[in-house]
């Protein structure tokens, strides 16, 4: 059982110090997502649906890179905590190899499925062409996406949260400017009392995709340079780029269950989207925009998750079990308090959030209703993020995979299928099923934490990834 703990201000300060750059990074990404959705939403509900219908597949593809990043982060953070700079550097080289292999292979798959994908997802015929074009263009620079995600994880493993934040902030700024130029046609603009003609390409949905693609190319190049110039012992500069079997095996062993978890959840999201698509274009637009609106309210949880992942890996490397227990207790306690407040705000102002992205009254009405429903799950979602971050940091990635599979498919998909196809229920029922999934998943994850199951097999004696992999 977990012992009763007192509030540790120093540890809380460390958690907050690592969390805040990721919170800002995620907040900036959310702002850009808001701007994207608002700009596209001003075109039409059909344009919003065209962008949103393939979003879950994009999450699935990105999940592969995030999983690889988790494997590298767990290995490197543990080595950093143990003071093993050589293992950290060699693990960084493995991240380069994974980026090249996964970036190219996943990119080829994305290009191959872009044409028929919207039809597979159940999109209505009038949006399929725009949806295919958006997906193809936005995910064309897949190698650069991989670099942004995986190399960002490597830097975070050392405690460098600031560099990924700055790189993503730059990407977001570029994306907003290019959106403005590429989506709309040339038009007169009044700003601060001055009137001028603003050039625009008038490309609509395709313009939003081009802006996204260019921002990822720039971000990938800058993140790669940041890793090569890192002064924290993980720069691959001067190293031979070759596979180190023991360390690569450790990264893959930790990352593979995480990849399976993300794949399972995202495949579930794809099926989920297909079920929502049966409710019509208005429902798809409301669903997509509401998901986007909600993201702002769990941004703090993402920051605490990143901090928990890094600190738990480093603490395991230090061999300090008591500090690990205190870390989890504090991080969960703080994020539940914060998420309770954000959930309350989401419940009070859902109509304001929806109005940021669309002027369609039907879309706003449906989105407002489902946002109030999901607001009650925010504290559960925050706790789940932090616990999963800890489990990933110590290398316990199998249990989250099993838990996510059971709740996603056994609760969210099964009951959504029943509600939509057998009971003829609408979008509100779909989101109730989603909330049930979140709450049950949190309860099971918390039980694993309280029972100490995530510690089984861990050795609190400054373990090194290279030695562990060869054992």
């Amino acid at each position: 059982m977990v012992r009763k703990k007192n509030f540790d201000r120093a540890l809380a300060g460390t958690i907050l110090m690592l969390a805040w750059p990721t919170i800002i990074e995620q907040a900036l990404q959310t702002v850009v997502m808001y701007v994207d959705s608002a700009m596209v939403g001003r075109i039409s509900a059909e344009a919003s649906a065209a962008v949103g219908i393939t979003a879950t597949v994009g999450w699935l593809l990105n999940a592969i890179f995030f999983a690889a990043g988790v494997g590298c982060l767990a290995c490197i953070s543990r080595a950093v905590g143990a003071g093993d700079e050589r293992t950290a550097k060699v693990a960084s080289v493995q991240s380069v190899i994974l980026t090249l292999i996964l970036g190219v292979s996943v990119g080829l798959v994305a290009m191959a499925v872009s044409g028929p994908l919207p039809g597979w997802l159940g999109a209505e015929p009038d949006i399929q062409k725009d949806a295919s074009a958006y997906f193809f263009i936005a995910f064309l620079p897949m190698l650069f996406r991989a670099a942004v995600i995986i190399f960002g994880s490597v830097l975070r493993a050392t405690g460098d949260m600031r560099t990924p934040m700055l790189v993503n902030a730059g990407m977001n700024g570029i994306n907003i400017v290019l959106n403005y130029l590429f989506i709309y046609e040339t038009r007169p603009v009044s700003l601060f009392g001055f009137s001028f003609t603003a050039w625009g390409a008038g490309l609509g949905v395709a313009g939003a995709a081009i802006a996204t693609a260019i921002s990822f190319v720039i971000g990938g190049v800058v993140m790669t340079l940041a890793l090569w110039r890192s002064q924290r012992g993980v720069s691959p500069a001067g190293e031979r780029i070759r596979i180190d079997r023991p360390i690569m095996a450790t990264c893959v062993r930790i990352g593979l269950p995480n990849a399976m978890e993300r794949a399972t959840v995202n495949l579930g999201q794809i099926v989920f989207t297909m079920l929502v698509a049966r409710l019509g274009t208005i429902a798809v637009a409301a669903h997509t925009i509401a998901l986007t609106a909600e993201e702002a309210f769990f941004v703090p949880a993402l920051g605490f998750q990143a901090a928990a992942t890094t600190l738990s890996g480093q603490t395991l490397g230090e061999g300090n079990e008591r500090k690990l227990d205190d870390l989890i207790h504090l991080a969960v306690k703080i994020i539940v308090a914060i998420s309770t407040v954000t959930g309350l705000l989401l419940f009070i102002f859902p109509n304001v959030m929806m109005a940021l992205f669309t002027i369609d009254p039907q879309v706003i009405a449906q989105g407002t209703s489902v946002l109030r429903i999901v607001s009650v799950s925010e504290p559960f979602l925050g706790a789940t993020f932090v616990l999963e971050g800890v489990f990933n940091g110590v290398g316990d990635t199998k249990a989250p995979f099993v838990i996510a599979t059971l709740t996603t498919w056994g609760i969210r998909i099964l009951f959504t299928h029943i509600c939509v196809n057998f009971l003829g229920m609408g979008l509100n029922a779909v989101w109730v099923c989603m909330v049930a999934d979140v709450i049950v998943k949190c309860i099971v994850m918390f039980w694993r934490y309280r029972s100490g199951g995530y510690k089984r097999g861990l050795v609190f004696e400054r373990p090194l990834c290279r030695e562990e992999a060869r054992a």
Side-chain angles (χ1 to χ4, degrees), residues 47-56 134 273 284 288:
S48 293
V51 171
I53 192 68
T54 60
T56 50
Y134 180 87
T273 300
V284 171
T288 302

Side-chain angles (χ1 to χ4, degrees), residues 263-265 267-269 271 404-415:
T264 298
V265 171
L267 285 171
Q269 289 281 13
V271 175
T405 300
L406 293 176
T407 61
T408 298
W409 291 89
I411 297 177
R412 183 180 302 205
I413 302 304
L414 175 61
F415 286 98

Side-chain angles (χ1 to χ4, degrees), residues 282 286-287 289-290 350-352 354-355 358-373 427-428:
I282 295 297
H287 176 75
I289 292 173
N351 55 329
V352 176
M354 290 299 299
T358 181
I359 57 176
D360 190 302
Q362 289 180 285
V363 175
I364 291 175
Q366 289 197 36
T368 295
S369 181
V370 298
L371 284 177
R372 283 208 167 97
I373 291 171
L427 195 60
N428 282 356

Side-chain angles (χ1 to χ4, degrees), residues 165-178:
M165 177 194 72
L166 293 175
V167 172
N168 278 283
M171 288 172 55
N172 294 337
I174 291 168
N175 195 21
I176 290 175
V177 173
L178 295 182

Side-chain angles (χ1 to χ4, degrees), residues 26-37 172 176 296 357:
Q26 292 293 331
L28 290 172
Q29 290 180 357
T30 301
V31 168
V32 171
M33 189 177 299
Y34 276 20
V35 172
D36 272 349
S37 297
N172 294 337
I176 290 175
F357 309 112

Side-chain angles (χ1 to χ4, degrees), residues 91-175:
S92 177
V93 171
Q94 307 314 295
S95 77
V96 175
I97 296 171
L98 286 170
T99 298
L100 293 172
I101 294 173
L102 295 177
V104 172
S105 58
V106 174
L108 292 175
V109 171
M111 298 307 98
V113 303
S114 60
L117 180 60
W120 294 346
L121 296 174
E124 295 184 3
D126 58 339
I127 69 170
Q128 289 186 16
K129 183 178 179 181
D130 279 347
S132 291
Y134 180 87
F135 185 82
F136 181 89
I137 296 168
F139 289 89
L140 182 61
M142 195 66 77
L143 179 61
F144 297 93
R145 280 181 177 261
V148 169
I149 295 170
I150 297 176
F151 294 163
S153 294
V154 172
L155 293 171
R156 291 187 185 96
T158 68
D160 180 8
M161 307 296 197
R162 184 172 178 270
T163 299
M165 177 194 72
L166 293 175
V167 172
N168 278 283
M171 288 172 55
N172 294 337
I174 291 168
N175 195 21

Side-chain angles (χ1 to χ4, degrees), residues 190-212:
S190 295
L191 185 65
F192 301 120
F194 297 95
S195 298
F196 59 94
T197 300
W199 178 86
L203 298 176
V205 170
I210 293 170
T212 298

